[in-house]
C-alpha cells in the first residue's frame, strides 16, 4: 500500500490563536495510520506554538515550514535558516509558484534551499508547475501544482494530474508526486484514486479545520 500525504499549506493567514484553534480541532481526530501522513505547514510566526501543541496533545500530525533561507545561520537579516526551522519542523515546502512569481525564486535557489533542508534533516517538498521544471537531486517528494489551478477554484482534472505525475516520475525516477491546486473535500477522492498520485497539497481548503478533516478522513478510508 502506498503512503498518502495530506499536507495543509496555510500560506500567510493565521494568527497564533487561530493556528492553535485549528490544531485543537484537527489533532484529536488524527489516527496512528502508517499509510496516511498528515502535515500542517503554518506561518513562521506560529511554528513553535503549533509544534508545542502537537507534542503536548501527542497528535499524529507532522509540522512543516513553507520556505527556508538558501543560506545557513549568520548575518542574513530577516531570513529563516534550515537549522532554526528544524527545531520545530520536519518538512519544508520549496519552490511554490507564489514564491517563484512574487519573490523571483529561481530553480537554482530551490536547489540551494533543498541542500540546506537536507543538511538539517528536513524533508524537502519541491513544488513544480510542470514536468519541465528541474527537481533538485535526491528529492523524494514533489508537488505538481499547475498555475491555473492554484487558488482559483479551477482544479486540474484528476486524470490530467495523474498523467503529469506519471511523466514526472518517469523523468526523475522513483519519487512520490502529490497534486495541489483547488483541492477540496468534494474533489480530493478523485485525485487520491490516481495510481501515480501519492497525496495532496492543500491551500485554501486547509484553512478550515472541518473541511481539512473531511479530506483526511477520505484518505483514511482508501
Ligand atoms: P489552493 O493552494 O489549494 O488554495 O489552490 C494550493 C497550494 O498553493 O499549495
Amino acid at each position: 500500500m502506498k503512503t498518502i500525504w495530506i499536507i495543509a499549506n496555510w500560506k500567510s493567514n493565521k494568527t497564533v490563536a487561530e493556528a492553535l484553534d485549528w490544531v485543537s480541532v484537527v489533532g484529536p481526530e488524527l489516527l496512528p495510520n502508517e499509510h496516511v501522513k498528515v502535515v500542517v505547514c503554518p506561518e513562521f510566526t506560529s511554528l513553535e506554538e503549533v509544534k508545542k501543541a502537537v507534542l503536548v496533545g501527542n497528535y499524529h500530525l507532522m509540522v512543516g515550514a513553507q520556505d527556508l533561507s538558501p543560506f545557513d545561520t549568520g548575518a542574513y537579516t530577516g531570513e529563516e535558516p534550515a537549522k532554526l526551522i528544524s527545531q520545530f519542523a520536519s518538512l519544508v515546502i520549496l519552490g511554490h509558484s507564489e514564491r517563484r512569481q512574487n519573490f523571483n525564486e529561481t530553480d537554482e535557489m530551490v536547489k540551494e534551499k533543498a541542500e540546506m533542508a537536507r543538511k538539517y534533516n528536513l524533508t524537502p517538498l519541491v513544488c513544480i508547475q510542470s514536468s519541465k521544471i528541474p527537481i533538485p537531486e535526491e528529492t523524494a517528494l514533489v508537488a505538481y501544482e499547475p498555475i491555473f489551478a492554484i487558488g482559483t477554484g479551477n482544479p486540474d482534472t484528476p486524470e490530467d494530474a495523474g498523467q503529469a505525475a506519471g511523466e514526472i516520475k518517469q523523468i526523475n525516477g522513483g519519487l512520490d508526486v502529490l497534486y495541489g491546486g483547488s483541492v477540496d473535500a468534494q474533489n480530493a477522492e478523485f485525485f487520491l484514486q490516481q495510481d501515480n498520485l501519492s497525496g495532496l497539497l492543500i491551500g485554501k481548503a486547509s484553512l478550515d479545520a472541518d473541511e481539512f478533516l473531511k479530506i483526511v478522513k477520505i484518505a483514511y478510508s482508501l
Side-chain angles (χ1 to χ4, degrees), residues 9 11 96 98 145 149-152 180-183 201-205:
N9 174 13
K11 307 191 179 182
H96 193 282
E98 287 154 11
E145 298 204 311
I150 306 263
T152 57
S182 299
V183 171
L201 179 57
I202 308 157
K204 191 153 174 266

Side-chain angles (χ1 to χ4, degrees), residues 6-170:
I6 304 294
I7 304 185
N9 174 13
W10 285 350
K11 307 191 179 182
S12 303
N13 284 293
K14 287 192 189 292
T15 62
V16 173
E18 288 165 347
L20 292 177
D21 272 355
W22 187 102
V23 174
S24 72
V25 175
V26 172
E29 299 289 321
L30 300 178
L31 307 172
N33 184 317
E34 34 179 290
H35 299 295
V36 180
K37 291 188 193 288
V38 184
V39 186
V40 62
C41 301
E43 301 73 2
F44 286 133
T45 43
S46 298
L47 264 185
E48 180 173 3
E49 289 298 320
V50 166
K51 182 65 189 177
K52 266 194 228 160
V54 167
L55 286 176
V56 169
N58 200 16
Y59 299 141
H60 300 283
L61 179 62
M62 288 170 66
V63 178
Q66 298 175 18
D67 186 30
L68 50 70
S69 173
F71 300 105
D72 215 322
T73 47
Y76 302 104
T77 302
E79 283 297 284
E80 301 287 351
K83 181 176 177 182
L84 304 190
I85 289 173
S86 68
Q87 298 174 104
F88 313 116
S90 53
L91 176 148
V92 61
I93 298 171
L94 296 179
H96 193 282
S97 59
E98 287 154 11
R99 296 214 57 82
R100 294 180 194 259
Q101 272 169 1
N102 301 320
F103 304 96
N104 302 322
E105 198 157 293
T106 61
D107 295 335
E108 184 56 31
M109 284 163 78
V110 173
K111 185 169 161 250
E112 287 166 7
K113 290 179 179 199
E115 279 161 16
M116 277 297 157
R118 267 193 298 277
K119 181 171 175 189
Y120 292 102
N121 293 321
L122 288 157
T123 299
L125 165 59
V126 176
C127 299
I128 56 170
Q129 295 70 44
S130 81
S131 56
K132 296 188 177 63
I133 306 276
I135 298 170
E137 267 173 43
E138 292 177 53
T139 298
L141 204 54
V142 161
Y144 166 64
E145 298 204 311
I147 304 269
F148 67 81
I150 306 263
T152 57
N154 176 31
D156 202 350
T157 64
E159 295 73 25
D160 284 356
Q163 195 181 337
E167 281 168 28
I168 293 162
K169 284 158 96 85
Q170 205 171 20

Side-chain angles (χ1 to χ4, degrees), residues 184-200:
D184 59 25
Q186 271 70 50
N187 60 31
E189 182 168 2
F190 304 109
F191 290 104
L192 292 176
Q193 281 165 349
Q194 294 291 319
D195 285 346
N196 283 322
L197 289 174
S198 300
L200 302 166

Side-chain angles (χ1 to χ4, degrees), residues 200-220:
L200 302 166
L201 179 57
I202 308 157
K204 191 153 174 266
S206 77
L207 293 174
D208 183 89
D210 294 325
E211 176 89 4
F212 184 72
L213 268 177
K214 281 187 197 159
I215 300 173
V216 171
K217 287 177 182 172
I218 291 167
Y220 285 156

